[in-house]
Amino acid sequence: MNHFLLKTSSPEETEQLGEKMAGYLNPGDVLTLEGDLGAGKTTFTKGLAKGLGIKRVVNSPTFTIIKEYDGRMPLYHMDVYRLEESDEDLGFDEYFAGEGVTVVEWASFIQDMLPENYLSIRITLLNDQKRSFELIPHGKRYVQLCEELVRK
Ligand code: ADP
Ligand code: MG
């Protein structure tokens, strides 16, 4: 199976992983983040934003659902937790097909609206400081991305 497992031992390491990941991303890429509250979804996204050259502070968009940031390319940061029971479509397709990278926290709540190809990242709390990151690529492009990422 094409699953890739990585671990981090601090929030800083998780940010660095996000930052590193950013180096492999292209416009139109979609990443989904799953994991309990406090797993590190937003921490990972902060690092990713840094890697995209975004200077603004990235916070969880729990109340706004979608936040857009300008960097080397745009970041569309979504937290769709509040859509759990509504299934509302906020024009996701246009973000997924846009000029930026989309990161979706709690993506399982909009599972039916996700594109065909995306990189699923499942974060598990191992203890206070340790997290495991399971990367599950959907589509060839993301298999390659994972292979490159774990190689370096
Ligand atoms: P989520 O968005 O998944 O709810 P956050 O990124 O907002 O999670 O919060 C993660 C919390 O866990 C932060 O308080 C962070 O300091 C802490 N933490 C401890 N160890 C790690 C780690 N290895 N990776 C990410 N966060 C960690
Ligand atoms: Mg969050």
Side-chain angles (χ1 to χ4, degrees):
M1 285 288 276
N2 279 320
H3 286 204
F4 299 80
L5 204 61
L6 298 165
K7 284 181 186 166
T8 69
S9 302
S10 66
E12 293 73 26
E13 269 188 37
T14 293
E15 279 205 35
Q16 282 161 16
L17 179 61
E19 197 177 344
K20 183 176 170 188
M21 174 84 71
Y24 297 90
L25 297 175
N26 292 330
D29 279 344
V30 178
L31 270 53
T32 65
L33 296 174
E34 300 289 349
D36 293 340
L37 200 68
K41 301 182 293 297
T42 300
T43 302
F44 176 85
T45 309
K46 282 176 195 276
L48 194 122
K50 193 174 165 200
L52 291 177
I54 290 160
K55 300 279 188 281
R56 267 171 67 205
V57 176
V58 171
N59 289 315
S60 192
T62 306
F63 296 100
T64 47
I65 300 177
I66 302 174
K67 277 194 200 169
E68 211 169 319
Y69 299 89
D70 278 321
R72 179 160 62 73
M73 59 188 146
L75 169 67
Y76 313 127
H77 185 198
M78 306 180 182
D79 182 332
V80 298
Y81 186 77
R82 294 203 313 155
L83 299 183
E84 180 175 15
E85 276 157 26
S86 77
D87 236 25
E88 196 180 341
D89 187 343
L90 300 172
F92 297 117
D93 278 350
E94 286 182 38
Y95 289 99
F96 298 150
E99 287 300 302
V101 168
T102 306
V103 172
V104 191
E105 298 191 32
W106 299 101
S108 60
F109 293 155
I110 60 159
Q111 194 67 45
D112 297 345
M113 294 177 237
L114 293 177
E116 192 185 337
N117 295 325
Y118 62 97
L119 177 60
S120 165
I121 302 176
R122 295 196 185 148
I123 312 175
T124 307
L125 269 126
L126 300 178
N127 64 29
D128 253 20
Q129 295 286 302
K130 287 201 165 66
R131 306 288 189 269
S132 77
F133 288 75
E134 188 187 14
L135 312 183
I136 306 157
H138 297 259
K140 239 197 277 173
R141 141 130 194 86
Y142 295 103
V143 175
Q144 280 171 355
L145 189 154
C146 289
E147 284 171 351
E148 282 180 42
L149 184 83
V150 299
R151 207 181 300 141
K152 283 170 200 157

